[in-house]
Amino acid sequence: EKSLKAREASLRSIVVAAPVGIGLSQNRLLSWVSPEFESMLGYTEKELIGQSARILYDSDAEFERVGLVNYNEISRRGTGEIDTRFKRKDGRIIDIHLRSAPMDPADLSKGVTFTAMDITDRKRAAERLLDSEEKYRLLVNNSHDAIFIMQDGFVKFCNPRTEELTGYPAEELARMSFDSLIRPEDKAEMHDRQKKGIRNAMGDNGIALRILNRNGDILWGHLTTTEAAWEGRPAVLYFLRDITCLLYTSPSPRDRTRS
């Protein structure tokens, strides 16, 4: 009897300390819930015990979906796991990661225990991240500047404008060094400026140089770089703007000489 009481006390302590809601349902009727589950949903124990689990969901369709998926998973592999949404007593919808296991795998009518983790904040953070990534993707893909990442001397990523400006598709750019597109006369100055971090009149460490595209045309570009990371390793992020029209419309004496 002492051993049983000690075990019950230990289990009770675990249940109370658990950061997830825990419960037991029999034929989808709630027969026991932990204090954390009550707090998570805003209901008291009396308001939940004996109720259909339908009280937890905001629609019949979601209630049926979770039951179908969960019980199929339990029958197939012994446990069920699914993401769903619960409706709190105050009407607020929260995102839940639900895991279930039967008391007796041979007889589900004896009850199914479950844990419910509130993943609302995590899911919202993931959605914000995806939204931010989508915005950056749209900006990069629609930029008038060629944007690309160099690592180990090769192009690891480039936007559509890079392909348009150089005339090479991304697959070919990935197998070549950007240096191979630069006129030989401009390579030394570019590397020297980047090494020394010299800033020009535009307030950055950019440099005007000549690019030879796939068609053999010479384009003037304004190139700026910054340190970056790609797949966990150091890389360089490049921004290349086509300034050919600007130089040939109103060239400076230095530009005319270099041309």
Side-chain angles (χ1 to χ4, degrees):
E1 184 178 352
K2 288 181 179 179
S3 177
L4 180 60
K5 287 184 177 180
R7 186 173 181 180
E8 288 178 346
S10 177
L11 290 174
R12 189 181 306 112
S13 175
I14 292 172
V15 168
V16 171
V20 297
I22 304 173
L24 174 66
S25 67
Q26 293 174 294
N27 298 316
R28 304 205 76 184
L29 295 178
L30 300 172
S31 57
W32 176 83
V33 292
S34 69
E36 177 64 23
F37 190 81
E38 298 171 42
S39 176
M40 183 187 301
L41 276 299
Y43 288 101
T44 64
E45 182 181 24
K46 291 182 179 180
E47 291 173 314
L48 291 173
I49 300 305
Q51 292 288 334
S52 166
R54 170 65 181 86
I55 193 176
L56 306 175
Y57 300 90
D58 64 344
S59 70
D60 291 334
E62 183 64 3
F63 172 65
E64 296 297 337
R65 182 186 78 87
V66 171
L68 180 64
V69 173
N70 234 4
Y71 280 89
N72 281 341
E73 286 287 292
I74 289 173
S75 298
R76 187 172 63 86
R77 61 187 184 92
T79 59
E81 190 169 1
I82 189 173
D83 284 349
T84 183
R85 305 177 78 190
F86 279 176
K87 184 177 182 179
R88 286 174 44 88
K89 182 179 180 180
D90 60 13
R92 184 164 62 89
I93 303 298
I94 58 176
D95 292 288
I96 294 291
H97 181 68
L98 191 66
R99 299 191 67 177
S100 308
M103 297 286 288
D104 182 354
D107 186 1
L108 297 184
S109 66
K110 290 184 178 180
V112 173
T113 59
F114 62 84
T115 61
M117 177 183 294
D118 186 348
I119 58 171
T120 305
D121 291 341
R122 182 197 306 175
K123 194 163 185 177
R124 296 295 177 272
E127 289 172 352
R128 287 194 296 270
L129 179 60
L130 287 174
D131 183 55
S132 176
E133 289 178 347
E134 177 64 12
K135 288 177 180 177
Y136 279 113
R137 186 186 67 80
L138 289 172
L139 287 172
V140 169
N141 286 347
N142 293 284
S143 174
H144 291 295
D145 292 347
I147 302 174
F148 53 98
I149 290 178
M150 294 284 295
Q151 188 181 67
D152 301 326
F154 294 94
V155 178
K156 296 295 183 178
F157 164 85
C158 68
N159 68 344
R161 179 58 174 155
T162 305
E163 299 177 272
E164 179 184 339
L165 196 62
T166 63
Y168 291 94
E171 294 78 12
E172 289 190 44
L173 286 170
R175 298 192 297 269
M176 57 194 298
S177 168
F178 177 67
D179 276 14
S180 62
L181 301 175
I182 303 174
R183 285 289 295 271
E185 301 91 324
D186 298 339
K187 289 182 183 180
E189 184 178 353
M190 182 193 77
H191 293 155
D192 187 56
R193 274 180 172 271
Q194 290 179 341
K195 184 177 180 180
K196 295 179 179 178
I198 298 175
R199 295 183 176 274
N200 61 14
M202 297 177 67
D204 57 34
N205 63 343
I207 180 176
L209 45 74
R210 287 166 290 186
I211 301 295
L212 187 66
N213 68 16
R214 190 173 191 175
N215 296 326
D217 299 324
I218 296 177
L219 306 174
W220 276 97
H222 179 260
L223 183 72
T224 57
T225 64
T226 185
E227 294 181 353
W230 181 256
E231 296 181 343
R233 295 180 54 232
V236 180
L237 177 61
Y238 285 73
F239 297 88
L240 179 65
R241 175 168 299 180
D242 185 359
I243 58 172
T244 307
C245 293
L246 296 176
L247 290 178
Y248 281 107
T249 300
S250 179
S252 66
R254 176 177 178 274
D255 294 327
R256 287 197 295 270
T257 301
R258 294 189 63 184
S259 300

